[in-house]
Amino acid sequence: MKLQVTLDILDLGEALEYLKLIRPYADIVEVGTPLSLMEGIRAVREIKARYPDLMVLDDIKLCDGGGRSSHACLSRGADIITILGVSDDKTILAGMKEAHKLGKQIMVDMIHVRNLEERLKQVDELGVDIIGIHAGVDQQSRGKNPLDDLKIAKKCVNRAAISVAGGLKDDEFLDSILGFKPDILVVGNGIYKAANPAFTARRIKERIDKAEKRI
């Protein structure tokens, strides 16, 4: 299991300072949608220049123009981009084709997908690299979390890696998520808003390692 840490920070300088603190514990760093909107590919390039061995996900939430838009991000340093699961299959396939040409990956984000079980099976059959189970910030404000959707994904997904994101702050809830052994654990405010982000990131990484040993 890998730890993906999100940079949902509007200022690139602040994001880079934060990344310094948590870099030792992150397997993947996510240029969150707010930072991507503010800074574009500059944020990806700056992170890759400083940490060339770190995997960088650009959370662009692509939903059209799969080939051309994917190339724009992946050819400039991103290792993974996100495509929305509500997108047309042709968009996903075009993005995946472009990513694989470049030796990169796509993650299909299932946020707001209806008929989740059916769509999970369809997206998995397309041969995507990662499927993201995601309770968004606005959904969390009305009490949604990703655990039930993760349970469904573990039953339906046979090929793709599974990532899970959304409100992973509470230790007990985190342990519940880890019990289902997602391939990637995505943590944002649970680390960023902690009193000591580096300590919290290290503790989460230790919990992941402990959970893996129980596999």
Side-chain angles (χ1 to χ4, degrees), residues 44-62:
V44 172
R45 296 177 82 170
E46 191 69 33
I47 291 167
K48 289 299 282 188
R50 295 183 185 216
Y51 307 101
D53 297 328
L54 181 61
M55 290 195 74
V56 178
L57 180 148
D58 194 357
D59 190 17
I60 59 171
K61 292 185 171 70
L62 183 65

Side-chain angles (χ1 to χ4, degrees), residues 129-156:
D129 305 289
I130 306 164
I131 290 176
I133 300 301
H134 185 188
V137 173
D138 296 332
Q139 293 176 313
Q140 290 173 48
S141 69
R142 56 180 175 80
K144 182 174 175 59
N145 70 61
L147 183 57
D148 289 339
D149 289 352
L150 176 60
K151 293 176 182 178
I152 295 170
K154 291 296 288 188
K155 292 178 181 178
C156 298

Side-chain angles (χ1 to χ4, degrees), residues 43-185:
V44 172
R45 296 177 82 170
E46 191 69 33
I47 291 167
K48 289 299 282 188
R50 295 183 185 216
Y51 307 101
D53 297 328
L54 181 61
M55 290 195 74
V56 178
L57 180 148
D58 194 357
D59 190 17
I60 59 171
K61 292 185 171 70
L62 183 65
C63 63
D64 190 28
R68 190 173 186 182
S69 299
S70 296
H71 181 85
C73 295
L74 294 167
S75 65
R76 302 297 172 85
D79 300 292
I80 310 168
I81 59 160
T82 55
I83 300 177
L84 292 178
V86 296
S87 304
D88 191 273
D89 285 357
K90 288 186 177 180
T91 300
I92 296 172
L93 288 168
M96 182 169 62
K97 181 179 179 181
E98 193 60 41
H100 291 176
K101 270 189 204 174
L102 298 168
K104 307 294 183 72
Q105 300 179 60
I106 64 165
M107 190 273 276
V108 177
D109 189 336
M110 305 303 286
I111 190 171
H112 301 317
V113 165
R114 298 186 180 185
N115 301 317
L116 180 65
E117 182 172 347
E118 178 184 1
R119 189 58 176 151
L120 281 167
K121 291 176 181 177
Q122 292 170 348
V123 170
D124 193 37
E125 282 298 312
L126 294 177
V128 304
D129 305 289
I130 306 164
I131 290 176
I133 300 301
H134 185 188
V137 173
D138 296 332
Q139 293 176 313
Q140 290 173 48
S141 69
R142 56 180 175 80
K144 182 174 175 59
N145 70 61
L147 183 57
D148 289 339
D149 289 352
L150 176 60
K151 293 176 182 178
I152 295 170
K154 291 296 288 188
K155 292 178 181 178
C156 298
V157 175
N158 298 309
R159 301 171 63 178
I162 297 173
S163 76
V164 59
L168 307 187
K169 302 173 186 177
D170 177 78
D171 284 350
E172 185 176 346
F173 180 59
L174 186 61
D175 284 342
S176 296
I177 292 288
L178 289 173
F180 286 89
K181 303 175 179 65
D183 299 284
I184 302 168
L185 189 77

